C-alpha cells in the first residue's frame, strides 16, 4: 500500500502543536528514508501555510557523541523555520545541545568540498539547538526522526564572527547555571564543521533544495544533548567565538 505522506505529516505536526508524545511512526507504517523526507517536507509545508518562514536548515548526527546517544548511524537534516516554541509547556521532553551555526552569503547546491562550502559563509556563530522528539521516550529510528524534522524545535544564535575564524579545534563548554554539563571541540563535528556544511549542500540537493543566501545552517550537536527543565540558565561558550545563552522559564 502506498505511504500516506499527508496523513503521517499531519500526525507529527499535530503531536508538535499539542506537545504530546506519540508512538514511532515506523511501528505502524513502513516507509523509506526518501518517504521520510517527503513527510518532513509536507509537515514543514503545513507550518509555512500557517505563516512561518523558512530560515535555513540543520544537520543532525554529525558527531559520534550524538550518534551514540541516539543510536543512529547516518547523518540527517531538517528544515528550520522562524516558528520556534518559547514556553516549556509547549515541549514534550526538550533537550539542548551546543552547536556552531553558519550564515550564508552565497547559495550552495550539490556536492562541494568543505573549502568551497566555507567560501559561501558570511559569518560563524556559537549556537544552541533545542531539540524535542515528538516520539515517546525520545526513541526513534532514522526514518522516524527524519519525518519528525530531525527533532528540530528551536535555536539560539550568538555573536556572528568573521568567516575566516579557524574552526579546526575550538574548545567549547555548555553550562547549566554556571556548571559545566557538556565539554567538547568543534573537531567533533566530522573533524571540521565545514565538512558538515559541505554535507548539507550535498544532502539537501538530493531532495531538490538549494541552501539559500541569508540562510542559517546548524552544523550539528558537538556533544550529547542535555535535558532542559524550568529554572536552568544555559550557556554555550566556544573558544574564539564567544558565547550564547538563554534561561528556561515555566
Ligand atoms: O545536532 C544533532 O545532531 C541533532 C540530531 C537531532 C536528532 C536528535 O538527537 O533528536
Ligand atoms: Mg542539533
Amino acid at each position: 500500500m502506498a505511504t500516506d505522506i499527508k496523513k503521517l505529516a499531519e500526525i507529527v505536526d499535530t503531536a508538535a502543536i499539542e506537545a504530546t508524545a506519540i508512538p514511532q511512526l515506523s511501528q505502524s507504517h513502513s516507509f523509506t528514508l526518501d518517504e521520510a523526507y517527503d513527510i518532513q517536507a509536507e509537515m514543514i509545508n503545513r507550518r509555512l501555510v500557517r505563516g512561518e518562514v523558512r530560515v535555513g536548515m540543520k544537520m543532525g548526527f554529525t558527531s559520534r557523541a550524538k550518534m551514540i546517544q541516539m543510536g543512529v548511524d547516518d547523518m540527517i537534516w531538517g528544515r528550520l523555520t522562524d516558528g520556534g516554541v518559547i514556553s516549556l509547556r509547549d515541549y514534550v521532553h526538550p533537550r539542548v545541545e551546543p552547536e556552531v551555526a553558519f550564515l550564508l552569503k552565497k547559495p550552495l547546491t550539490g556536492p562541494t568540498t568543505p573549502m568551497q562550502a566555507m567560501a559561501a559563509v558570511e559569518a560563524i556563530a556559537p549556537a544552541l539547538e533545542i531539540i524535542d522528539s515528538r516520539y515517546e521516550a525520545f526513541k526513534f529510528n532514522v526514518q522516524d526522526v527524519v519525518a519528525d524534522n530531525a527533532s528540530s524545535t528551536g535555536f539560539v544564535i550568538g555573536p556572528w564572527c568573521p568567516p575566516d575564524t579557524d574552526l579546526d579545534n575550538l574548545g567549547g563548554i555548555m553550562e547549566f547555571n554556571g556548571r559545566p554539563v557538556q565539554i567538547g571541540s568543534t573537531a567533533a563535528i566530522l573533524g571540521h564543521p565545514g565538512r558538515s556544511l559541505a554535507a548539507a549542500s550535498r544532502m539537501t540537493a538530493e531532495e531538490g533544495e538549494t541552501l539559500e543566501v541569508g540562510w542559517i545552517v546548524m552544523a550539528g550537536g558537538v556533544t550529547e544533548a542535555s535535558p532542559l527543565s524550568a529554572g536552568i540558565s544555559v550557556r554555550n561558550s566556544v573558544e574564539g567565538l564567544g558565547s550564547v545563552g538563554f534561561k528556561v522559564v515555566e
Side-chain angles (χ1 to χ4, degrees):
M1 202 175 65
T3 303
D4 191 341
I5 302 291
K6 280 189 190 294
K7 179 79 203 146
L8 295 184
E10 185 188 345
I11 292 171
V12 273
D13 188 38
T14 305
I17 292 171
E18 296 179 353
T20 306
I22 54 170
Q24 295 173 46
L25 295 180
S26 61
Q27 286 176 359
S28 49
H29 298 78
S30 154
F31 56 100
T32 65
L33 188 56
D34 269 351
E35 288 169 332
Y37 278 107
D38 292 343
I39 297 165
Q40 183 193 115
E42 180 59 31
M43 195 257 274
I44 294 297
N45 203 35
R46 293 168 62 91
R47 291 207 216 155
L48 299 182
V49 167
R50 292 200 292 270
E52 292 183 26
V53 174
R54 180 77 187 275
V55 295
M57 64 85 70
K58 62 164 278 183
M59 290 295 288
F61 307 128
T62 52
S63 68
R64 283 302 299 156
K66 283 291 312 186
M67 287 187 179
I68 291 166
Q69 182 182 31
M70 302 316 298
V72 172
D73 292 327
D74 294 314
M75 282 190 288
I76 60 169
W77 65 278
R79 295 163 165 97
L80 299 180
T81 69
D82 65 350
V85 152
I86 49 168
S87 165
L88 202 57
R89 264 165 282 173
D90 295 327
Y91 293 100
V92 182
H93 30 212
R95 298 178 179 180
V96 63
E97 55 194 22
E99 300 220 6
V100 290
F102 297 107
L103 178 65
L104 298 185
K105 66 179 176 195
K106 290 190 201 149
L108 274 172
T109 187
T112 181
T113 65
M115 209 181 270
Q116 287 164 338
M118 289 304 295
V121 172
E122 168 85 34
I124 302 162
L128 285 161
E129 184 182 21
I130 301 159
I131 54 172
D132 191 21
S133 176
R134 268 51 69 168
Y135 299 117
E136 289 163 353
F138 224 117
K139 290 264 184 290
F140 44 67
N141 67 19
V142 72
Q143 285 96 326
D144 287 319
V145 67
V146 166
D148 186 26
N149 199 27
S151 305
S152 169
T153 304
F155 58 95
V156 186
I157 307 286
W160 288 114
C161 302
D164 55 357
T165 309
D166 186 357
L167 281 181
D168 262 2
N169 185 15
L170 303 180
I173 301 182
M174 184 169 79
E175 294 164 310
F176 279 7
N177 297 332
R179 191 174 51 83
V181 288
Q182 300 289 350
I183 296 175
S185 157
T186 52
I189 302 173
L190 299 174
H192 187 292
R195 291 209 181 103
S196 174
L197 185 59
S201 176
R202 174 177 54 78
M203 292 174 75
T204 49
E206 283 163 10
E207 301 298 320
E209 290 212 356
T210 294
L211 304 182
E212 306 285 356
V213 174
W215 272 17
I216 288 165
V217 177
M218 302 284 288
V222 172
T223 67
E224 285 184 9
S226 299
L228 280 176
S229 54
I232 294 176
S233 281
V234 185
R235 180 149 296 278
N236 177 27
S237 305
V238 183
E239 184 187 356
L241 294 183
S243 74
V244 55
F246 62 88
K247 175 154 185 166
V248 185
V249 292
E250 267 306 335

